Amino acid sequence: MKRILLILIAIALLHSANAQVKINAPNGRVAIIADGNSPDPDDLGGTAISIALLRAAGLEDRLVHYSHSCDLIRVDRISEAAERERHALMQTSCDVTARRWGGYEKLKFLDAKWELEETINDLRDAINASTEDNPLWIIEAGEPDIIGFALEASKKEKHKYVKLVTHHPANDEAGDFYKWEEILAFGIEEVRIPDQNVDLKVYLDKWHWARDYTDPRIQWLWLVGKIAEVDDVVEFQKGKWDCSDAGMVLYWITGANVYGGLKTGTVEDVKSVLLNYVENDK
């Protein structure tokens, strides 16, 4: 019996050790461009988790640009009224998460469609500030048009210091003004990782730990994902809690392609980073 108990303890300790995610971000700054005003509401949860992950990793000061609602031309699958609602929900996901988790007081979260010129100029300036030792990692969590406009407006000699992280061809090929080949033609580095929907678009019960957690910062994250789940524009989100785009942030904070980041993030990885921060910030 004692031997069995020791084995169980050893397995538990091993599991705990494996669950601890190591933060090892590469040099440089990060910019995130999300949609959320398109038919798929997954960017609501992806945005909240991305902002929380960066704060929990101690890297919030490296986020130099965050814009949402980058789907510039509305499609018939979402009505004008529903799209306006999404703009409001995406801004709420940004602003409330940033305030509750802290550390983003100097950053303005931009609505790409409604603040188009400011958004393009803000990303342009981040590109122009890039150097070999301080590159810009752009997380493509939506259509690539804003990225294309900013690259077009920026200094060509800076493009070699821009790295574009992508995980899904649906985003790459969804541009209304730029094709993916045109984005790559600017001379930036493409950093492609596996589809993060595989392990980060999961059934709701995989997130009950957040729903039932006592810290309101964690409960807020669950609530944002639940809002996306009860969205009435699309059906494929029903029963699912989706923060798939945040998998690219998880990849970056754990090393990206420089130190070997987590290419296929899981809910357990997200949980590890967030709870390690929250439990040490009481």
Side-chain angles (χ1 to χ4, degrees):
M1 181 63 71
K2 183 181 291 185
R3 180 177 296 179
I4 294 174
L5 181 60
L6 289 173
I7 292 173
L8 291 173
I9 292 173
I11 291 173
L13 290 173
L14 180 61
H15 175 75
S16 177
N18 290 339
Q20 186 60 53
V21 174
K22 182 180 180 182
I23 305 302
N24 193 27
N27 289 341
R29 299 149 298 129
V30 66
I32 301 176
I33 295 87
D35 47 29
N37 62 321
S38 58
D40 191 348
D42 68 307
D43 287 75
L44 291 171
T47 287
I49 295 298
S50 294
I51 293 169
L53 280 174
L54 288 168
R55 173 61 166 168
L59 298 166
E60 68 279 0
D61 61 329
R62 301 244 226 126
L63 180 62
V64 294
H65 173 94
Y66 203 117
S67 56
H68 65 84
S69 301
C70 70
D71 192 355
L72 301 180
I73 297 181
R74 182 181 60 83
V75 296
D76 291 338
R77 289 172 61 209
I78 185 169
S79 67
E80 291 184 23
E83 190 195 7
R84 287 196 300 272
E85 177 185 294
R86 290 285 191 78
H87 280 262
L89 288 171
M90 283 298 297
Q91 193 68 48
T92 298
S93 183
C94 290
D95 291 342
V96 176
T97 306
R99 182 187 66 80
R100 292 195 175 195
W101 284 76
Y104 296 101
E105 291 76 15
K106 295 181 180 179
L107 184 69
K108 180 180 179 181
F109 293 87
L110 295 162
D111 186 307
K113 186 173 181 177
W114 290 354
E115 299 171 297
L116 180 60
E117 184 176 1
E118 184 177 1
T119 298
I120 294 170
N121 291 342
D122 191 65
L123 185 57
R124 175 204 63 195
D125 292 346
I127 293 170
N128 286 341
S130 303
T131 65
E132 183 176 2
D133 295 327
N134 190 24
L136 181 67
W137 299 77
I138 299 179
I139 304 293
E140 188 212 23
E143 289 78 351
D145 291 325
I146 293 296
I147 299 169
F149 285 129
L151 286 166
E152 190 77 52
S154 63
K155 299 175 182 178
K156 292 182 179 180
E157 63 269 23
K158 296 294 185 175
H159 295 173
K160 60 186 175 182
Y161 307 127
V162 174
K163 305 172 189 293
L164 181 54
V165 184
T166 180
H167 82 106
H168 205 293
N171 283 336
D172 304 343
E173 304 302 334
D176 295 303
F177 300 94
Y178 287 90
K179 296 180 180 179
W180 189 244
E181 294 76 16
E182 294 175 305
I183 298 293
L184 299 182
F186 283 104
I188 61 176
E189 179 183 346
E190 179 188 46
V191 182
R192 183 171 294 278
I193 63 175
D195 180 4
Q196 300 299 297
N197 287 278
V198 174
D199 292 313
L200 288 175
K201 183 178 181 179
V202 298
Y203 289 108
L204 282 172
D205 63 340
K206 299 293 185 181
W207 277 86
H208 283 177
W209 63 271
R211 181 196 66 182
D212 301 334
Y213 199 76
T214 56
D215 192 296
R217 290 170 293 185
I218 297 294
Q219 291 178 348
W220 163 253
L221 300 179
W222 175 83
L223 180 59
V224 176
K226 179 62 177 176
I227 290 171
E229 191 268 336
V230 299
D231 180 87
D232 65 352
V233 176
V234 298
E235 292 295 328
F236 53 78
Q237 204 72 27
K238 298 305 179 187
K240 300 292 181 66
W241 208 105
D242 189 351
C243 65
S244 49
D245 283 332
M248 292 182 284
V249 173
L250 190 61
Y251 171 67
W252 184 74
I253 68 175
T254 58
N257 60 345
V258 178
Y259 306 124
L262 288 170
K263 288 187 176 181
T264 51
T266 68
V267 175
E268 286 301 314
D269 295 324
V270 173
K271 179 180 178 181
S272 172
V273 176
L274 298 181
L275 294 193
N276 182 62
Y277 173 78
V278 168
E279 291 173 1
N280 285 285
D281 188 50
K282 293 179 179 178

